[in-house]
Amino acid sequence: MLRVDRDSHVPLHQQVAEEIRRLILTGEWPASRRIPSEAALCEASQLSRNTIRQALQTLENEGLVIRRAGKGSFAAAARERGALSRFIALVVNFSRDPLPASIYAGIHAAADVHGYQVILVDPAVGGRSTNSVLARLEEAGLCNYIVWPTGEATEAIHLARLVTRGHVVVQVDRYLPGLAASFVGCDNHAGAVLATQHLLDLGHRRIAFLTSSDESTSIAERQGGYEAAMRQAGLEPLPALRLPRGREGPIAELGLGYLALETAQMAFIAACLQDPERPTAIFALHDLIAYQVIVAARQAGLRVPVDLAVVGFNDSDYCTGLEVPLTSIAQDGFAIGHRACEALIRQAEGKQAEPVFVRLPVRLVRRASSGGVQPPEDEGGANLKNT
């Protein structure tokens, strides 16, 4: 019931308080409902009673929980709550995956310095839509939002409505064109140029960009960077290879292995690698797709990087543990979250009138998969295909 991470830098009582805030403000624990007892919360979270009491005391001080002698603790109704102007809602799918988790950590650090509280809401938990979550948060009185747009239908309309009503919205990772809201993310175009130029410097000319079938500004910018680098080298970019849609899921819970079971996607990659005019190098949209390429190449009898060079994007924690350590473009999720939170607070406190548009720098991390770095002869990376 209460999700806590014992390895997080955030104290356990703060994590419990954040979870209960989310449950109350998203309506999962309706107003005036008696919340579980301290003993029940201890059992559900496997935490001490002192930790639970600290969390409940924090929430009582904020006006979100009301304790009634002899009756227990209750979720406060909207009319009973204090002002929520110092709360920030982070709305992001698969929040425990590496990049969302690092963005959250940066937001949390900046919010803590300025005396704000962060409510982490993951629409993917429970299969809810971003729109329905935003509607509930607004109804609860939230006015500050950091959102990772998903591109779902009417999302832009819903976010534009929040902005029109005077709420502060900051987008991270990708943005919705035409939305008058701030954005903080990495420089996707520059990262794609770095990745492609690295492969060009290694002598490759048939370099393909392998992407998803989704559409977002981050994908378009990475494809644009790839094409620009190819043309700068006097080469015509190959048509983008677009994976068929697969099942979305949290890597933090499922592990990488499930990606190798996405039969339609793996078959698509295998067909690309069996083509007589196949690429000698692939720049993948992100590390997860790059992992699928490495697995598919092995299954096809191709050696990475001897027969096929591979570069990913994000520089996720698992890149060093793959069967062939993955060259990747590193972006700083913590810095993205920190800058996004700082931008939101400046706007919320009237210190900045206009939305800001921030792209943070990226860097190339060279490993064995591209051939730019040779792996140690006596050390083999862990094979994560079944994790």
Side-chain angles (χ1 to χ4, degrees), residues 185-197:
C186 78
D187 193 334
N188 290 292
H189 186 278
V193 170
L194 278 175
T196 308
Q197 188 60 54

Side-chain angles (χ1 to χ4, degrees), residues 2-299:
L2 297 179
R3 299 185 303 161
V4 296
D5 180 2
R6 294 179 183 273
D7 296 325
S8 171
H9 71 285
V10 180
L12 290 172
H13 73 275
Q14 289 186 25
Q15 293 188 53
V16 173
E18 288 174 8
E19 274 290 276
I20 296 177
R21 280 191 204 102
R22 177 185 63 80
L23 291 165
I24 291 174
L25 293 174
T26 58
E28 293 182 56
W29 284 4
S32 303
R33 162 183 165 169
R34 185 179 185 276
I35 67 175
S37 66
E38 289 181 3
L41 291 172
C42 289
E43 183 177 355
S45 62
Q46 295 297 298
L47 297 174
S48 70
R49 180 159 291 197
N50 184 55
T51 298
I52 298 300
R53 283 178 176 168
Q54 280 185 279
L56 291 175
Q57 184 60 59
T58 296
L59 296 166
E60 186 178 15
N61 293 342
E62 294 171 357
L64 291 178
V65 167
I66 296 174
R67 297 195 192 188
R68 298 190 176 116
K71 295 183 179 180
S73 298
F74 295 79
R79 64 180 180 278
E80 300 172 296
R81 297 172 191 159
L84 299 182
S85 59
R86 301 193 74 79
F87 286 78
I88 298 169
L90 168 61
V91 182
V92 56
N93 283 315
F94 310 128
S95 58
R96 295 194 176 193
D97 283 356
L99 183 58
S102 61
I103 289 175
Y104 168 60
I107 292 169
H108 201 286
D112 192 52
V113 169
H114 294 280
Y116 281 73
Q117 299 290 344
V118 181
I119 303 157
L120 174 60
V121 185
D122 188 338
V125 176
R128 296 166 296 170
S129 71
T130 299
N131 287 346
S132 65
V133 165
L134 291 171
R136 283 199 168 187
L137 290 171
E138 186 185 20
E139 184 180 349
L142 268 293
C143 52
N144 300 318
Y145 300 86
I146 297 177
V147 181
W148 183 314
T150 62
E152 67 184 51
T154 73
E155 183 181 40
I157 295 173
H158 202 110
L159 288 171
R161 187 179 300 127
L162 290 177
V163 172
T164 300
R165 292 172 178 170
H167 303 312
V168 182
V169 176
V170 177
Q171 304 166 97
V172 292
D173 186 75
R174 73 276 306 267
Y175 59 91
L176 299 174
L179 181 66
S182 293
F183 162 76
V184 181
C186 78
D187 193 334
N188 290 292
H189 186 278
V193 170
L194 278 175
T196 308
Q197 188 60 54
H198 172 60
L199 294 169
L200 289 165
D201 290 343
L202 292 171
H204 294 282
R205 292 299 178 264
R206 288 195 58 78
I207 303 168
F209 177 58
L210 179 57
T211 183
S212 71
S213 56
D214 296 329
E215 295 183 6
S216 74
T217 54
S218 58
I219 293 175
E221 289 167 355
R222 291 177 197 181
Q223 181 173 347
Y226 155 77
E227 293 175 351
M230 291 289 283
R231 291 193 173 105
Q232 182 65 31
L235 300 170
E236 185 62 26
L238 299 181
L241 304 175
R242 298 192 180 278
L243 282 176
R245 289 189 181 276
R247 176 173 61 106
E248 286 193 329
I251 292 298
E253 296 175 16
L254 297 176
L256 291 174
Y258 91 96
L259 292 169
L261 302 177
E262 290 286 348
T263 53
Q265 293 185 336
M266 294 301 291
F268 177 86
I269 297 172
C272 294
L273 297 182
Q274 291 165 4
D275 190 303
E277 297 297 317
R278 70 169 179 85
T280 64
I282 289 180
F283 166 42
L285 174 67
H286 52 64
D287 296 336
L288 300 178
I289 294 177
Y291 164 77
Q292 290 179 301
V293 173
I294 291 174
V295 173
R298 173 172 48 76
Q299 293 172 347

Side-chain angles (χ1 to χ4, degrees), residues 304-322:
V304 175
V306 178
D307 301 314
L308 179 71
V310 183
V311 176
F313 202 111
N314 287 341
D315 192 33
S316 308
D317 292 342
Y318 50 78
C319 286
T320 56
L322 298 180

Side-chain angles (χ1 to χ4, degrees), residues 106 110 170 184 334-344 346 356 358 360:
V170 177
V184 181
F334 185 94
I336 290 172
H338 202 278
R339 288 287 293 273
C341 188
E342 292 279 359
L344 182 145
R346 285 196 299 272
V356 297
V358 179
L360 297 180

